[in-house]
Amino acid sequence: MDNINLFEKAINSSENIVIFSHVNPDGDTLGSMIGLAKIIELNYNKKPTTVIIGKTPDTYAFLNSIDQCTSSINLDKEVCYDLAIAVDIAAKDRMVDMQDVYFNAKNTVNIDHHITNNGYGNINIIDGNASSTGEVLFDIVKKLNWKINKEIAELLYVAILTDTGGFRFENTSARVFNFASELTANGANPTNIYRKCYESKPKAMALLNAYAIQNAIFKENDKIAYTIITKEDMKNFNAKSDYTEGISEALRQINSTEVSMLLKEAENQTTKVSLRSKTINVAKIAESFGGGGHHYAAGCTIQKPPTIAIEKLLELVKKSLNE
Ligand code: AMP
Ligand code: MN
Ligand code: MN
């Protein structure tokens, strides 16, 4: 039996199901998580618990049924689930306080599209060629002939739209357009969803973005562009943690940029790094700091403050550019 059929069998034989998204959630992990919960509800008449690690990001508060998700902070972690499903979670440390819940479950599923995913679940459905976990999920929908409705179509559309950067990144394939077309035919409205994802930024987010670009530093004939955001900056702009989304991509938009980085000061002298590239494999660089991701988009957390973290990063990026 292949993994997709094993997944269906696991849903059929489980009553108590939990699905969760990764820390610092994005459109793909949230759309896929809620979308999958709605699929299971519609096709199997079971209602999985959906869990967001930490707080719901402002930018995705518009998602259908997101108000029905539980924060990991409030979840009863003593419950032993029949089935735990991780969506878009590249590595188990991205589950943070949900790791025990996941690994204590009777059965575990791992649905993802990160090339660095090591297959930590009992059943692993990982497609490194897929643009998004939303795409992996819609492929399963088609293979298992699952029913979908407008709500599910919208959620999967958000997942695919946001992980392809609005159908622009190199992961935008013919299959992506085929799936987007089918989801549109099932009720997802491209204009409405586009406006909610890209034309509904909080003012503070737009201003923080502009400030971060204004303060960018360029190295190696402008091939490397990076910017640092401190905790103080976040406070000054009254910014929530998700307001830094898109900054690294904005630096990659410059014609000279080959690699862009956002270094965000985090708790306890650590730095959260977002790497984007047009050429070199940044997943490899992120992996050397215990992170991961994709060839052109990756992330990691470095156990040093930004001004020190950047030195090590620059060294590895320069080396990779010169290879
Ligand atoms: P971000 O820069 O946070 O938008 O992440 C870029 C890509 O790298 C996304 O696909 C993330 O899922 C992945 N990623 C970010 N941080 C990590 C990490 N610590 N470990 C593994 N993958 C990560
Ligand atoms: Mn993600
Ligand atoms: Mn993803």
Side-chain angles (χ1 to χ4, degrees):
M1 205 185 270
D2 71 13
N3 291 352
I4 292 180
N5 292 107
L6 285 172
F7 177 36
E8 183 175 38
K9 199 170 156 216
I11 297 171
N12 268 321
S13 60
S14 305
E15 278 318 311
N16 204 1
I17 304 172
V18 65
I19 313 177
F20 44 94
S21 44
H22 61 72
V23 66
N24 304 318
D26 53 25
D28 186 26
T29 197
L30 292 172
S32 297
M33 172 178 73
I34 307 169
L36 178 57
K38 295 288 160 191
I39 287 168
I40 294 174
E41 224 176 305
L42 183 67
N43 291 271
Y44 299 90
N45 204 19
K46 296 174 181 180
K47 199 170 168 27
T49 301
T50 46
V51 182
I52 293 177
I53 294 173
K55 290 192 196 127
T56 300
D58 269 12
T59 34
Y60 290 108
F62 72 86
L63 284 178
N64 296 323
S65 302
I66 199 161
D67 50 342
Q68 289 167 27
C69 296
T70 310
S71 165
S72 60
I73 308 160
N74 303 323
L75 190 81
D76 178 359
K77 309 244 178 22
E78 300 303 311
V79 175
C80 175
Y81 290 90
D82 299 327
L83 183 64
I85 308 170
V87 288
D88 197 45
I89 305 190
K92 62 184 184 190
D93 61 317
R94 306 264 287 158
M95 295 178 192
V96 194
D97 57 339
M98 290 298 290
Q99 277 195 49
D100 287 350
V101 174
Y102 187 79
F103 290 102
N104 289 339
K106 292 182 195 138
N107 202 354
T108 57
V109 176
N110 169 11
I111 306 176
D112 193 26
H113 68 120
H114 293 92
I115 45 171
T116 52
N117 192 308
N118 70 358
Y120 50 76
N122 295 140
I123 302 168
N124 299 286
I125 305 175
I126 302 160
D127 179 358
N129 290 316
S131 63
S132 51
T133 300
E135 185 182 340
V136 179
L137 209 50
F138 196 53
D139 188 47
I140 303 173
V141 165
K142 294 164 71 69
K143 286 182 174 146
L144 293 177
N145 274 316
W146 279 341
K147 281 185 286 191
I148 63 164
N149 56 24
K150 179 169 185 270
E151 187 181 15
I152 295 166
E154 286 173 346
L155 288 158
L156 297 189
Y157 189 99
V158 168
I160 296 174
L161 178 78
T162 53
D163 255 26
T164 56
F167 306 119
R168 289 174 304 151
F169 298 161
E170 78 299 325
N171 56 7
T172 309
S173 62
R175 188 169 80 161
V176 162
F177 284 116
N178 282 333
F179 283 8
S181 163
E182 274 191 59
L183 293 169
T184 305
N186 277 283
N189 181 315
T191 313
N192 290 347
I193 297 176
Y194 165 74
R195 290 209 174 123
K196 285 175 182 160
C197 291
Y198 297 107
E199 293 184 348
S200 306
K201 271 187 193 151
K203 184 176 158 192
M205 185 175 175
L207 295 178
L208 177 69
N209 198 297
Y211 167 85
I213 293 161
Q214 178 76 40
N215 286 314
I217 295 167
F218 298 88
K219 300 273 183 198
E220 299 288 289
N221 281 329
D222 299 347
K223 281 188 202 156
I224 305 172
Y226 72 87
T227 190
I228 294 176
I229 295 183
T230 63
K231 286 196 276 190
E232 179 100 28
D233 294 330
M234 296 295 282
K235 220 161 82 198
N236 290 342
F237 280 87
N238 213 350
K240 306 222 171 114
S241 66
D242 56 309
Y243 288 10
T244 52
E245 218 185 280
I247 291 174
S248 205
E249 274 99 1
L251 289 174
R252 186 175 57 179
Q253 285 173 1
I254 302 165
N255 62 359
S256 50
T257 303
E258 284 193 39
V259 182
S260 60
M261 291 181 279
L262 163 69
L263 287 89
K264 198 172 149 187
E265 185 188 9
E267 293 313 308
N268 307 319
Q269 310 260 10
T270 66
T271 303
K272 161 95 184 71
V273 188
S274 287
L275 297 117
R276 300 292 183 271
S277 154
K278 283 185 193 137
T279 52
I280 65 164
N281 183 354
V282 285
K284 236 172 93 183
I285 295 175
E287 260 190 315
S288 63
F289 295 102
H294 313 281
H295 186 112
Y296 300 106
C300 59
T301 297
I302 299 179
Q303 308 300 320
K304 292 267 185 286
T307 47
I308 298 172
I310 189 62
E311 296 308 326
K312 191 78 197 153
L313 277 165
L314 282 174
E315 196 182 298
L316 293 182
V317 171
K318 282 180 195 171
K319 195 168 148 235
S320 180
L321 282 173
N322 291 325
E323 261 165 17

